[in-house]
Amino acid sequence: MAKLRYAVVGAGGIGCHHAEVASRLEEYELVAVADVVEERARELASRFNSRAYTNYVEMLEKEQLDVVSVCTPHPTHAEIAIEAMKRGVNVLTEKPMAATVSQCLAMIREARKRGVKLGVVFQNRFEPRIRKAKRMVDAGELGDVYRALLRYVTYRDMAYFLSGAWRGKWATEGGGVLINQAVHYIDLFLWLLGKQPREVFAYAATAGHDIEVEDLVSAAVVFEGGCQGVMQFSTLDYPDMTNIELRGDKAMLLVETSPKRGEQGLRNETSVFVYRNAPPVRRAVYASLKPGAPRISCVIEEVRAEEPFTGHEAVLRDFGKAVLEDREPEVPGEEGLKSVELINAIIMSAVERKPVEIPFDPACYDELLKRLEKLGGPPWPSLTR
């Protein structure tokens, strides 16, 4: 099988991981690495007998590439991806796809114009139990989903924000917990639910860090068909926890990640359960209008899968096969756009203190972001200043 000539832009931790994973896959031949820090580019390139560049444009011009992974801070994703696609290179970009809807749309347009593949790394979609749960939802096993919940809380100290000059600033990060930490689970939540958000109202704060962007968010969302959702995010909570709850007439899906104590201390473990109602909720509500009617009950099933979760390996293999087989990757740019659109809407609502309808005019968010960059501080309550 012919190998795809592959390169990585961004030789930091996640870029190293892409290179290591690609080196194990038969679809790829790693030929180049680009990073603005020369030592970092050379170190990674030397590990895989490839060439190092400090300018990604120079790399694109000199190397005959088939695929490039974009592993730089997300506000730079659009610029790098578009430059690559202009040269006919297929692009796999790390999460989030970009910082704004406008940037995402520009990337999608360029991919269509050049006839190349554009994929986004959301590896949790490839987790076997999650994929099985998704099939259950799509098959209607939950019934009509009328309520949804997402809680994603994690912990970051100030050392984290001070570790990179771009972190915690509107101009260089474009947001906080939403765009950087929670985006994986916002994507997973939207994918599992399979409904488009139509309106959001949100509150945000900078409650514990000396940064410009949000570290605490609560949002209410109305989805197509009237499904109501509640979401909460934070980088002020230890230990980390994640909950996705989809409530339907026939059953509830629960995806939970929480710490469990083991021999080596606390360790996050993920569980996936389906709670099947007997009878379905709406039938039970009217089963009898007399007091003391039989109560509703449920059967709890743990969702299991035999195959292992391979994370980025599954993403990179799928993308490589998509290029070789000339098909869409499992997570194309159009899917990567969805989480960014909801994040932009949440920030817009929290800043403007009003509901935001989705879809919205991307130019309105661009103007808002410019105002936030000039402000140079939190536009909502800050408890650190």
Side-chain angles (χ1 to χ4, degrees):
M1 181 181 71
K3 288 181 176 286
L4 298 167
R5 290 177 60 81
Y6 172 73
V8 175
V9 181
I14 194 62
C16 288
H17 187 55
H18 275 241
E20 290 167 357
V21 171
S23 71
R24 300 195 298 265
L25 299 177
E26 62 181 2
E27 291 82 4
Y28 298 97
E29 177 190 4
L30 179 61
V31 298
V33 174
D35 195 286
V36 292
V37 179
E38 184 175 3
E39 181 181 355
R40 197 159 57 186
R42 289 188 180 280
E43 181 180 346
L44 182 57
S46 66
R47 287 170 55 188
F48 299 100
N49 194 29
S50 57
R51 288 170 289 282
Y53 294 85
T54 56
N55 186 311
Y56 75 90
V57 175
E58 180 185 359
M59 180 187 74
L60 292 170
E61 291 174 345
K62 289 185 176 181
E63 304 287 347
Q64 297 297 313
L65 298 173
D66 297 305
V67 175
V68 63
S69 278
V70 179
C71 302
T72 55
H74 52 268
T76 66
H77 287 181
E79 176 186 326
I80 296 168
I82 290 171
E83 285 294 332
M85 289 187 287
K86 283 180 179 178
R87 293 163 173 81
V89 181
N90 301 280
V91 173
L92 178 64
T93 182
E94 260 296 338
K95 64 81 185 171
M97 181 175 171
T100 69
V101 169
S102 294
Q103 292 172 343
C104 292
L105 291 175
M107 294 164 74
I108 292 169
R109 285 193 297 268
E110 195 66 34
R112 290 174 178 168
K113 179 180 178 181
R114 307 294 175 177
V116 297
K117 312 301 178 191
L118 171 61
V120 185
V121 178
F122 281 120
Q123 69 269 23
N124 290 334
R125 290 197 187 196
F126 291 82
E127 208 273 10
R129 294 171 301 166
I130 299 295
R131 292 169 77 82
K132 190 173 181 179
K134 172 63 173 171
R135 291 193 293 270
M136 290 179 176
V137 176
D138 290 348
E141 293 189 31
L142 303 189
D144 179 25
V145 179
Y146 53 84
R147 187 172 73 77
L149 170 71
L150 170 61
R151 177 182 64 171
Y152 173 83
V153 295
T154 187
Y155 176 75
R156 296 291 187 277
D157 58 18
M158 276 306 301
Y160 167 82
F161 290 100
L162 295 173
S163 68
W166 63 280
R167 295 189 186 278
K169 298 180 176 64
W170 291 112
T172 49
E173 189 170 16
V177 60
L178 292 169
I179 198 71
N180 204 333
Q181 286 79 36
V183 63
H184 267 303
Y185 292 93
I186 294 173
D187 170 76
L188 199 61
F189 180 63
L190 293 174
W191 183 61
L192 284 169
L193 181 59
K195 296 177 182 287
Q196 297 300 313
R198 295 303 183 208
E199 185 174 279
V200 60
F201 189 91
Y203 294 95
T206 307
H209 300 94
D210 187 12
I211 55 177
E212 299 176 7
V213 296
E214 81 286 353
D215 60 13
L216 177 64
V217 180
S218 298
V221 186
V222 177
F223 295 88
E224 60 184 345
C227 176
Q228 296 183 14
V230 174
M231 300 181 292
Q232 195 163 53
F233 311 96
S234 166
T235 47
L236 291 167
D237 288 82
Y238 183 84
D240 298 359
M241 288 188 181
T242 304
N243 291 82
I244 293 176
E245 182 182 305
L246 306 184
R247 290 272 183 170
D249 180 52
K250 297 178 182 178
M252 175 188 77
L253 173 68
L254 175 66
V255 180
E256 178 190 48
T257 300
S258 60
K260 303 294 190 297
R261 188 169 295 282
E263 294 180 358
Q264 298 180 346
L266 290 179
R267 177 180 177 181
N268 269 357
E269 296 181 3
T270 298
S271 302
V272 183
F273 292 95
V274 172
Y275 295 70
R276 299 187 186 276
N277 301 323
V281 170
R282 287 195 174 93
R283 190 189 307 170
V285 167
Y286 288 98
S288 175
L289 300 182
K290 296 180 181 179
R295 293 184 177 183
I296 190 171
S297 63
C298 73
V299 176
I300 305 173
E301 301 174 6
E302 184 172 4
V303 179
R304 297 179 178 271
E306 296 298 325
E307 60 269 36
F309 175 40
T310 59
H312 277 72
E313 181 177 322
V315 177
L316 276 137
R317 176 173 284 120
D318 169 71
F319 192 77
K321 290 186 179 300
V323 174
L324 292 167
E325 298 169 4
D326 193 22
R327 62 165 173 81
E328 281 294 284
E330 286 209 26
V331 191
E334 288 80 359
E335 285 293 298
L337 166 67
K338 293 178 180 179
S339 53
V340 175
E341 183 177 50
L342 181 54
I343 289 168
N344 286 181
I346 291 172
I347 291 174
M348 192 183 306
S349 174
V351 172
E352 298 182 347
R353 308 287 181 91
K354 65 180 183 181
V356 172
E357 292 185 359
I358 302 172
F360 52 85
D361 181 356
C364 293
Y365 186 77
D366 294 343
E367 287 300 316
L368 175 68
L369 192 55
K370 288 178 182 177
R371 297 204 312 267
L372 293 175
E373 291 172 4
K374 291 180 180 179
L375 179 65
W380 36 59
S382 170
L383 305 183
T384 66
R385 294 172 183 254

